[in-house]
Amino acid sequence: MLRRSDKLSIIDHTTFQNIQNDGAQTAPRMLAQSSKYKNKHKKDELQGTLFDFLVKSRKTQKQNKARKLKRPRLTITKPLYWPRRKGKTRINPRKKVTRLKKLICSYRRLKKQKMSTVEIPDYEEELREKLECLLLDTEDPSTQEEQKLPTKEEHLADQVHPIHSRRFRSYCDNCTRPQLKQLTTQLLKDVNRFQKRAYVKNEIKARAHPRFVLGIREALARLRIKKVKLLILATDCEICPGEHGLDETIDGLKELCQQQTVPYCFSLVRRELSYALQKRAQISCVAILDYDGANATFNDLLRELEDAKEEYKRLTAV
């Protein structure tokens, strides 16, 4: 056997085996041959596994589209660029109360005090007592047959027509038909849906051009600038007589509508108006400013309103 190197004669067999064992331990390991994981296993403690080469499948275009469609579309949020309110900011802000609301509250308190302090006897019993006192003074039997006891209904017959009641006050000018109620509710729902859609698209433009306004004060302001197309008033507003009271305010609204040839109707009570517009508080007045998109319902409502007014005139004329 030929020996090409002289190292074998110097190193014995055991030393040669030890050198081979040390070389096998310090031999370089096979790293992951991938551009994505080439710098991942630099440390000796970390070892490459098959999970390093596992690639997650990307979602298809249809799956991404379906995930986007699941998100809620109608989300009304205030933008960040909405202007802040100018003026002073109080720690305990005072609630502004209009003159009409003050009058209504004062009338409620007066009515409550009268009901609690004064015990009003029955109407017929009071009349009987007065009549007996008069008969005792006169002591004329002929007058007893002539005088009759008037009933409560006869006493109130001259004041209010029998067609009117607490839910259908005397200021109403038309009858409340089922078809008229249905058309009014449908028109209010459509206009409310259009306004909500406009708020979602652009809140600033929607605030500048509203479809309808709520309340007597807002309706009166829009009537003065001739922007109202239809006025819907509740049939069961509270009784509030006197100067600048609720009854006088409703009469003023009717006069303005007649001057500007604006149609107004009495078809729903306050609770039904709030239910149609999805509001919690009771609504006494709704002024429609723009009915574009519900023209057919609006025209049907006007035709039904004319028939209801004629029926009201026929019933009250008798």
Side-chain angles (χ1 to χ4, degrees):
M1 184 176 178
L2 296 172
R3 295 181 180 178
R4 295 179 182 178
S5 177
D6 295 335
K7 290 181 181 179
L8 293 174
S9 61
I10 299 167
I11 300 170
D12 58 346
H13 187 68
T14 55
T15 309
F16 180 72
Q17 284 182 352
N18 291 334
I19 291 166
Q20 280 187 341
N21 291 334
D22 293 340
Q25 289 178 2
T26 58
R29 286 186 291 105
M30 295 294 293
L31 297 177
Q33 300 296 323
S34 174
S35 60
K36 191 174 181 181
Y37 302 101
K38 62 182 179 181
N39 297 323
K40 192 171 181 181
H41 306 293
K42 285 187 175 180
K43 293 183 180 179
D44 296 335
E45 294 85 12
L46 300 174
Q47 294 182 1
T49 58
L50 293 174
F51 288 106
D52 296 337
F53 297 95
L54 185 65
V55 180
K56 292 182 180 179
S57 61
R58 294 182 180 179
K59 291 184 178 179
T60 60
Q61 192 174 359
K62 288 185 178 179
Q63 290 174 346
N64 290 329
K65 197 172 183 180
R67 184 171 55 82
K68 287 179 182 178
L69 288 172
K70 285 181 183 178
R71 296 174 185 172
R73 289 187 179 182
L74 296 174
T75 53
I76 301 171
T77 55
K78 274 196 173 183
L80 299 172
Y81 51 83
W82 187 255
R84 292 183 180 179
R85 188 177 176 181
K86 294 180 181 179
K88 297 178 182 177
T89 54
R90 300 179 185 273
I91 298 171
N92 299 318
R94 297 176 184 176
K95 190 177 180 181
K96 292 183 180 180
V97 183
T98 58
R99 182 175 62 178
L100 182 61
K101 185 67 177 178
K102 287 177 183 177
L103 285 168
I104 293 169
C105 292
S106 62
Y107 184 76
R108 283 177 188 168
R109 284 195 297 270
L110 258 168
K111 194 176 177 181
K112 196 174 182 180
Q113 286 174 5
K114 285 182 180 179
M115 293 294 289
S116 60
T117 55
V118 181
E119 294 181 359
I120 303 171
D122 193 13
Y123 182 77
E124 295 181 359
E125 291 179 3
E126 187 180 358
L127 286 173
R128 281 199 186 94
E129 289 174 4
K130 288 181 181 179
L131 198 59
E132 285 173 3
C133 292
L134 289 169
L135 289 173
L136 288 169
D137 292 340
T138 55
E139 294 180 357
D140 189 3
S142 62
T143 56
Q144 293 181 9
E145 297 177 0
E146 293 176 1
Q147 292 175 347
K148 292 182 179 180
L149 183 66
T151 59
K152 189 174 183 180
E153 287 77 11
E154 290 176 1
H155 179 70
L156 298 172
D158 299 331
Q159 299 179 5
V160 181
H161 198 272
I163 197 174
H164 297 294
S165 63
R166 187 179 62 84
R167 291 172 64 85
F168 188 72
R169 292 277 313 282
S170 57
Y171 58 80
C172 300
D173 292 347
N174 59 273
C175 294
T176 54
R177 291 179 162 191
Q179 183 67 18
L180 185 65
K181 284 186 175 183
Q182 186 179 354
L183 288 169
T184 309
T185 308
Q186 184 63 36
L187 181 65
L188 289 172
K189 284 182 178 179
D190 290 344
V191 174
N192 188 27
R193 180 165 52 85
F194 296 152
Q195 183 150 315
K196 281 183 178 178
R197 187 177 65 184
Y199 266 77
V200 172
K201 288 182 179 178
N202 193 338
E203 189 177 357
I204 295 173
K205 284 186 179 179
R207 284 182 182 274
H209 305 284
R211 290 294 192 113
F212 64 92
V213 291
L214 305 177
I216 291 173
R217 184 170 62 88
E218 293 291 330
L220 193 60
R222 297 309 193 285
L223 272 169
R224 284 170 184 160
I225 59 176
K226 300 180 181 180
K227 291 285 185 181
V228 180
K229 301 294 187 299
L230 175 67
L231 189 69
I232 302 168
L233 287 159
T235 59
D236 63 336
C237 290
E238 290 187 49
I239 300 170
C240 185
E243 191 178 0
H244 305 296
L246 189 57
D247 296 343
E248 188 179 334
T249 308
I250 291 171
D251 292 336
L253 282 170
K254 287 164 64 178
E255 286 177 8
L256 272 173
C257 289
Q258 289 167 4
Q259 289 171 9
Q260 300 177 14
T261 63
V262 174
Y264 61 92
C265 72
F266 305 92
S267 54
L268 303 172
V269 297
R270 288 178 292 174
R271 182 59 66 189
E272 289 171 346
L273 281 172
S274 60
Y275 180 76
L277 293 171
Q278 298 177 355
K279 304 287 183 184
R280 289 185 179 180
Q282 294 182 353
I283 298 168
S284 57
C285 180
V286 181
I288 294 175
L289 312 178
D290 186 10
Y291 57 86
D292 192 18
N295 299 333
T297 310
F298 183 78
N299 295 329
D300 294 342
L301 176 62
L302 291 183
R303 284 194 291 271
E304 189 67 25
L305 182 60
E306 289 177 3
D307 298 340
K309 283 184 177 180
E310 289 176 3
E311 185 181 351
Y312 178 81
K313 287 177 183 177
R314 189 173 64 254
L315 289 171
T316 52
V318 177

